[in-house]
Amino acid sequence: MEKGEPEAYSDQNFAGMLTRAGAKLDVFGVYGLLYGLLAAPEFVMPSEYIKIIFEDEEGFSSKEEATTTISSLLFVLDSLAKWKPEKEPLYYPDIDYPKTKDGLKQRATDSLSLINGVVSGLNLGKTAESDFTVPGLKAMDALAKLHARLIAFVESFDKEQSEPEFDYPGALKLMEELEGRVSGCVKEINLGLKDARIRTARSIQGGAIERKAGQAKSKKISRNEPCPCGSGKKFKKCCGLLH
């Protein structure tokens, strides 16, 4: 995170806040959920996705902790909303991992959490297959395959417990490659749903204009009065043209 970052914010601290609150999602799951919500065509109210992240308010030890945690969540959302997938890399939570086999296993597990979060966000935003462009659909398919690869990667660590030597550099290189592919897929999914988001926004805007125009007609607005839609034009030169 960069501009506008709260003084005490860090992904590591936010991860701790989520754990202490008994959140249902870890920091990677939260990031994934928000990426999915931001890509989805339908707007989702905060109250809906906050319920997915937190069990209830009883998980917080105090109102101050609840306020700090929710503020950090909203900061992350605001930061990711400014992301430009056309020219910026995907932001992964900045977490320190031990340079060990267990550290790599946790890193892979976290990437799985991010993928699961993305899918949850897309579903919550009522994303349909028909909303995607062809590249977007291919990215979804690739993400599903990466999910399977990461599961196998995690399971491989348990199978190698008896090995006398562990190729950490080789495993790290593979993990970085998998993370890069996950990032690329999430970017393509966001871009692949851009047209659907625009269509939804126009539909909502159009519906609002029709409702306001209908209200204007029912109230018998004078044609020379300001249009109630807020355009600043006279009714006869704005929504009045629809009637």
Side-chain angles (χ1 to χ4, degrees), residues 91-208:
Y91 185 83
Y92 252 72
D94 187 13
I95 301 296
D96 293 326
Y97 297 100
K99 297 179 180 180
T100 61
K101 181 190 296 185
D102 288 340
L104 278 178
K105 182 179 179 180
Q106 183 59 52
R107 191 165 171 175
T109 300
D110 287 342
S111 284
L112 280 169
S113 184
L114 187 140
I115 292 174
N116 290 334
V118 169
V119 175
S120 294
L122 291 173
N123 288 336
L124 194 59
K126 300 179 181 178
T127 310
E129 185 174 332
S130 58
D131 292 324
F132 287 95
T133 59
V134 172
L137 282 174
K138 289 182 178 179
M140 282 296 295
D141 182 61
L143 194 65
K145 292 177 180 177
L146 281 167
H147 189 273
R149 284 197 65 183
L150 281 163
I151 289 176
F153 187 65
V154 169
E155 292 175 345
S156 70
F157 289 102
D158 296 328
K159 296 177 182 178
E160 295 172 1
Q161 290 298 325
S162 61
E163 294 292 328
E165 294 183 3
F166 174 65
D167 181 15
Y168 179 83
L172 175 62
K173 183 178 180 180
L174 176 58
M175 186 64 242
E176 290 174 341
E177 177 187 342
L178 291 173
E179 283 180 347
R181 292 186 180 184
V182 170
S183 297
C185 286
V186 176
K187 288 179 66 172
E188 286 300 322
I189 288 168
N190 184 290
L191 293 172
L193 288 168
K194 184 176 181 179
D195 289 345
R197 292 195 299 274
I198 291 174
R199 287 195 300 270
T200 299
R202 287 176 176 171
S203 176
I204 293 173
Q205 184 181 39

Side-chain angles (χ1 to χ4, degrees), residues 8-27:
Y9 181 86
S10 75
D11 289 322
Q12 197 84 41
N13 287 341
F14 185 39
M17 292 178 195
L18 293 170
T19 299
R20 289 191 296 275
K24 292 183 282 186
L25 298 182
D26 58 25
V27 66

